[in-house]
Amino acid sequence: MVQYQPVDPSDQQSKFPTGSSTARTMSEKKTSRVYWHAPTTMLATFLLGLLFAIGHDRFYHHYDHQPVGSNLEQKVIVNVGTAFAFMVKMFFAISTATVFAQQIWLSLKRRAESIDDIDALFDILGNVLHFGRVTLWARHWGLAMIALITWCIPLAAVFTPGTIQVQPDVSYQNNTLLKPAQPQQSWHATQNYAATQIDYTALQAVDNITYGDVINNGPSGNLYSVALGSVTRRDVLSIPPPSLNSSYDLSFFGPSLSCDNMSANQFSTFNASLAKAYKAQFLPGMATILGGVENTLNEASLVLKYNAWVETSEVDYGKPYNLSNPNWNNDTSTRMDPSSANTLYFYLSSNRLQYNSSVLVACHLHNATYSVSFSFENSQQSINVRSVAIGEEVPYNAKVDIEEPNYDNIVYNSVLHAFNNIVIAAATNDTGTKAPNVLYYGGPVGVSALQDYIEAKPSKKLTADAVIQTLQEMFQNITLSTMASPSLRLPDSQAQFIRTNTWRSVNIYIYEPSQLYIAYGCALLASFFCLLWGLYVSLYHNHASYNIGFSTILRTTRRNEMGGIVNTDARKGDQPVPKEMRTVRLKYIVGETRSGGEGFALVHDHGRIRRVVSEGNSLMVEEK
C-alpha cells in the first residue's frame, strides 16, 4: 500500500514564504521572468476587437443614405457586416477567455475544491449549464463574472449587423428645365374654346373675296366637358405631369370670377320681386304644386331654395332681367348666355320666410393674374393657388372681326358661358310633403359644391362669404382644368421651358449607429475591465502566463500523491467520473519546494489528513 501525504493548508510558510529576503528575491525573479504570452494575447486581441468595431462603424457609415445598387451589393454589405461582427465578438471573447485562464489558476491557488467542482470551473466556457452550481460560483464570483462576460459578448454580433437597413427614400433633382402643361399664354390666338359661326348678315365682298364676322354661339364641346367634369369632381381635373414626381410654379393671365354680397337695399328689391313671384305663381313648379288643391290648403309650403340668372338689358334681348325682375328659370325665360353687363345673380335660402338665412350675391367676369404651384407625386396632383390678382372686367362681345381676329373676349366669355350652363338654374321643394326633396330646374347645379348649401347639409352653414368662396373656386377650377385638355391648353410645341423640381423614389441604406454603439460599447467596456483585471492578475499575482490547455493540466498534476487518485478503469477518461474520485479536494500549489513540489495537491478535510490508496481497480480514501 502506497500512502500520499497531502499539504496542510495551515502550512503558510511552505506555500507562500513572506517576510524573508529569500521570498522577496524569489518574487523578483518570478516577476522578471514573466512570460508575456498571456498579457500580449489579452491586449492584442482586445485592440483587434476594438479596431474591427471601428471598422464596422466606418463601413456602415460609408453606405449610410446611399442608394441601393444590385442584389449582389446588398448581399456583400450584409455579409461583410456579419463578418465584422464575428471578428469583434471573436477577438473580445479570446481576450476575456485569456483573462479567465489567468483567474482560474489564481482562484485554485486560494481555495481548495473538489475534482467535480474543478471540472465545472474548467468547463464553464464550453457548458453554460455549469452556472447552475450557485454555491461554487458564489465562492468564485470573480471567475463567474469573467465567464459570464465571455458568454454574453457574442450577443453584440446578434444586434450589430441589423443596424443598417434598406428603406424607401426620395432623390431630388432641382431646377430641371421641362415643359409642363401650360394654359393659353395668348388667349386671342385660339378658337378651340367657342362654338362659332359666320355672321351671314354682315358679309362683304372685296375683290371676289367674301369677308364677314364670327358669332360666338357658346362653349365648345371640349370646354363644356372640362367645365362639367371639374364642377362634378369639385376639383381641378388631372393635369398631365412633366415627370412622375415633380413640382413647378406658373404665373399666367386667365378668366376669373369676382363676387360680392348685395347691399340691404338691393336685397330688399329682390325680396319684393320674390314676394310678387309667389303670388303670381311665377316660380318653377308652381303650376303643378300650387295650382290644385294644395294651393288652398297650404300655400306657404313651397320654398325657393336656389335661383341664378344673368342680368340683361333691353339691348340684349328686349326684356331686362335684374333684381327688380329676376329670371325665375321657369322654362319660358331661361337664358344662360352672357350679356353685355356680364353680371350673374345667385340667390340661396333655407326658407322663404327666413330672410336672415338667405344669401344674394352678384358675380362679374374679370381678367386676372394667377400665381399657382403645381406638385405631382406618383401622378397624384396637388395644386396651391398662391394668389389671384383681379384685373379689369371683361364685357361681352359675341363678334370677332374675321380680318383681324382677336379671340380674347370670346375665349373668356366661352368659359363663363360653360359655367353658366351649369349654375344658371332654380331649385325648390315642397315642405308640406312627408319627405320633401329638392327639385332642380335648368342646369346641373345639383352636382356642384353649391348642392351642400341648397340642400342645407349639416356640415355647411349658409353665409354670403361661404357662397362667394364656393362660386369663385368653382370658376377657378374650370380655368385651371383647361390645362387637362390637349385642345384647350397651350400646344406642346409652343410651351415654354419651366424650372421644375423632380424626384424619384429610391431605396437607400439607413444606418442607425446608436444601436451599434450600445452593443459594441457594452462588449468593449466589459472586455476592457476584464483586460485590466487580467493584466493585474497575470503580472502581480501569478507572475506567469497561463492557459487551460492539456499540457498545462499535465504539468500541474505531477506531484507524487496524484498517481493514486485515478484507478486503472478510470484512465480511459470516459464519462462519468467515478463517484469516489469526484469528492477528492485539490489545491494548486505554487512556490512549494518541499513535500512534493509545485502543482495540484491533496488537502486536509476538516483538519484530518486525507490519503488516497489505490488497490487494483478500486480507489480507497482513508482518513486518520
Side-chain angles (χ1 to χ4, degrees):
M1 180 179 294
V2 181
Q3 297 181 351
Y4 302 95
Q5 179 69 39
V7 176
D8 191 337
S10 62
D11 188 5
Q12 299 296 328
Q13 183 176 359
S14 63
K15 289 171 32 184
F16 305 107
T18 59
S20 66
S21 60
T22 302
R24 288 195 298 270
T25 301
M26 182 180 296
S27 176
E28 292 171 358
K29 289 182 179 180
K30 290 282 187 179
T31 304
S32 64
R33 293 197 302 268
V34 170
Y35 183 50
W36 288 95
H37 179 271
T40 302
T41 300
M42 289 184 289
L43 182 59
T45 53
F46 173 81
L47 293 177
L48 285 173
L50 175 61
L51 289 176
F52 274 102
I54 295 174
H56 196 176
D57 172 64
R58 292 297 90 195
F59 177 73
Y60 278 175
H61 259 298
H62 174 74
Y63 287 97
D64 188 25
H65 286 87
Q66 294 297 315
V68 177
S70 62
N71 290 333
L72 177 61
E73 181 190 73
Q74 295 185 57
K75 292 179 181 179
V76 169
I77 292 175
V78 171
N79 292 339
V80 171
T82 303
F84 269 114
F86 173 80
M87 299 300 287
V88 173
K89 180 268 296 185
M90 180 185 71
F91 284 118
F92 281 162
I94 292 174
S95 179
T96 56
T98 306
V99 174
F100 179 86
Q102 312 314 303
Q103 178 62 37
I104 193 172
W105 294 105
L106 177 63
S107 298
L108 291 175
K109 287 180 190 177
R110 292 179 170 178
R111 183 183 293 274
E113 296 292 350
S114 66
I115 290 178
D116 191 41
D117 285 341
I118 293 174
D119 274 346
L121 293 179
F122 275 90
D123 197 36
I124 186 61
L125 295 185
N127 187 353
V128 72
L129 298 179
H130 289 313
F131 278 112
R133 299 171 180 256
V134 179
T135 56
L136 171 64
W137 298 110
R139 296 194 299 270
H140 300 278
W141 61 269
L143 196 61
M145 291 298 297
I146 299 172
L148 185 62
I149 289 173
T150 305
W151 270 104
C152 292
I153 282 176
L155 291 176
V158 175
F159 297 105
T160 52
T163 55
I164 192 168
Q165 299 176 353
V166 174
Q167 295 182 6
D169 196 35
V170 177
S171 175
Y172 292 93
Q173 186 174 1
N174 297 329
N175 296 325
T176 304
L177 291 177
L178 297 176
K179 286 186 175 182
Q182 300 167 38
Q184 290 290 340
Q185 301 296 311
S186 180
W187 295 91
H188 69 272
T190 179
Q191 303 181 49
N192 296 330
Y193 278 69
T196 60
Q197 71 179 52
I198 297 176
D199 182 6
Y200 289 99
T201 64
L203 295 179
Q204 296 181 12
V206 179
D207 296 331
N208 296 324
I209 300 176
T210 301
Y211 296 93
D213 293 336
V214 174
I215 299 177
N216 177 15
N217 285 337
S220 65
N222 288 332
L223 177 57
Y224 184 66
S225 297
V226 166
L228 185 59
S230 174
V231 169
T232 303
R233 185 177 175 180
R234 303 186 182 186
D235 202 352
V236 178
L237 298 182
S238 297
I239 299 171
S243 180
L244 185 64
N245 297 293
S246 57
S247 64
Y248 56 92
D249 297 332
L250 287 180
S251 293
F252 55 91
F253 294 106
S256 178
L257 199 67
S258 178
C259 301
D260 300 294
N261 190 18
M262 293 289 92
S263 66
N265 291 336
Q266 291 170 317
F267 216 139
S268 177
T269 300
F270 172 79
N271 285 333
S273 302
L274 181 60
K276 292 178 182 179
Y278 272 106
K279 292 181 179 179
Q281 300 184 12
F282 285 162
L283 300 183
M286 276 192 167
T288 56
I289 297 178
L290 299 183
V293 178
E294 191 175 353
N295 185 22
T296 59
L297 296 177
N298 189 11
E299 181 179 353
S301 66
L302 186 69
V303 176
L304 179 66
K305 301 288 293 181
Y306 172 83
N307 195 68
W309 72 98
V310 179
E311 183 182 47
T312 64
S313 65
E314 295 182 0
V315 177
D316 296 311
Y317 305 117
K319 183 178 181 181
Y321 289 109
N322 47 40
L323 295 177
S324 299
N325 182 39
N327 188 331
W328 300 114
N329 298 297
N330 55 6
D331 295 334
T332 62
S333 61
T334 300
R335 301 297 297 246
M336 297 183 178
D337 50 328
S339 66
S340 57
N342 261 357
T343 300
L344 307 180
Y345 292 107
F346 295 88
Y347 169 78
L348 293 92
S349 176
S350 59
N351 190 300
R352 74 180 179 93
L353 299 180
Q354 298 175 356
Y355 298 133
N356 58 343
S357 61
S358 301
V359 169
L360 181 64
V361 299
C363 300
H364 306 274
L365 180 64
H366 285 259
N367 183 32
T369 302
Y370 287 84
S371 179
V372 187
S373 295
F374 298 85
S375 179
F376 302 88
E377 185 167 357
N378 294 324
S379 297
Q380 296 296 315
Q381 72 181 20
S382 175
I383 298 177
N384 176 28
V385 180
R386 301 199 306 271
S387 66
V388 179
I390 301 298
E392 69 280 4
E393 283 194 43
V394 179
Y396 178 66
N397 184 358
K399 295 184 178 182
V400 175
D401 189 344
I402 199 170
E403 297 183 35
E404 297 180 1
N406 185 326
Y407 295 95
D408 280 350
N409 189 276
I410 284 186
V411 169
Y412 275 43
N413 280 282
S414 294
V415 177
L416 180 63
H417 201 160
F419 180 73
N420 290 352
N421 286 350
I422 299 170
V423 299
I424 298 302
T428 61
N429 78 333
D430 186 359
T431 59
T433 62
K434 294 182 179 180
N437 290 315
V438 174
L439 182 62
Y440 291 92
Y441 301 87
V445 69
V447 300
S448 71
L450 293 173
Q451 177 198 18
D452 297 339
Y453 299 103
I454 296 171
E455 299 183 6
K457 296 293 179 65
S459 59
K460 299 294 183 178
K461 183 179 180 181
L462 182 61
T463 64
D465 290 340
V467 172
I468 288 173
Q469 181 178 357
T470 300
L471 289 168
Q472 292 179 163
E473 286 184 357
M474 287 170 57
F475 195 90
Q476 175 180 283
N477 289 343
I478 294 174
T479 300
L480 296 177
S481 293
T482 59
M483 288 186 284
S485 172
S487 65
L488 301 179
R489 65 173 176 259
L490 192 66
D492 294 340
S493 60
Q494 300 177 22
Q496 301 176 1
F497 284 101
I498 303 296
R499 293 190 180 277
T500 306
N501 298 326
T502 62
W503 63 92
R504 61 187 179 90
S505 297
V506 294
N507 290 329
I508 64 171
Y509 297 105
I510 297 296
Y511 172 44
E512 298 178 359
S514 59
Q515 297 184 17
L516 183 139
Y517 294 160
I518 292 174
Y520 280 162
C522 292
L524 177 68
L525 190 62
S527 299
F528 179 71
F529 283 121
C530 287
L531 171 65
L532 294 181
W533 180 251
L535 292 174
Y536 173 72
V537 170
S538 177
L539 298 176
Y540 295 99
H541 280 282
N542 293 342
H543 304 293
S545 293
Y546 285 99
N547 63 31
I548 52 177
F550 173 75
S551 62
T552 304
I553 303 299
L554 180 64
R555 286 179 290 151
T556 56
T557 55
R558 307 314 297 165
R559 285 174 60 95
N560 293 333
E561 71 267 25
M562 299 301 291
I565 296 177
V566 185
N567 59 35
T568 304
D569 291 341
R571 291 178 183 178
K572 293 187 297 182
D574 58 335
Q575 295 294 327
V577 178
K579 183 177 180 181
E580 60 273 17
M581 179 179 173
R582 286 183 292 176
T583 58
V584 175
R585 300 179 69 238
L586 302 177
K587 187 174 183 181
Y588 180 54
I589 304 299
V590 177
E592 176 64 51
T593 58
R594 301 172 296 172
S595 302
E598 298 177 322
F600 279 104
L602 300 176
V603 298
H604 286 277
D605 188 13
H606 302 296
R608 295 185 293 272
I609 297 176
R610 170 182 263 187
R611 62 180 181 175
V612 179
V613 181
S614 178
E615 293 185 350
N617 294 331
S618 61
L619 184 69
M620 300 179 59
V621 180
E622 296 181 353
E623 297 179 354
K624 65 176 182 178

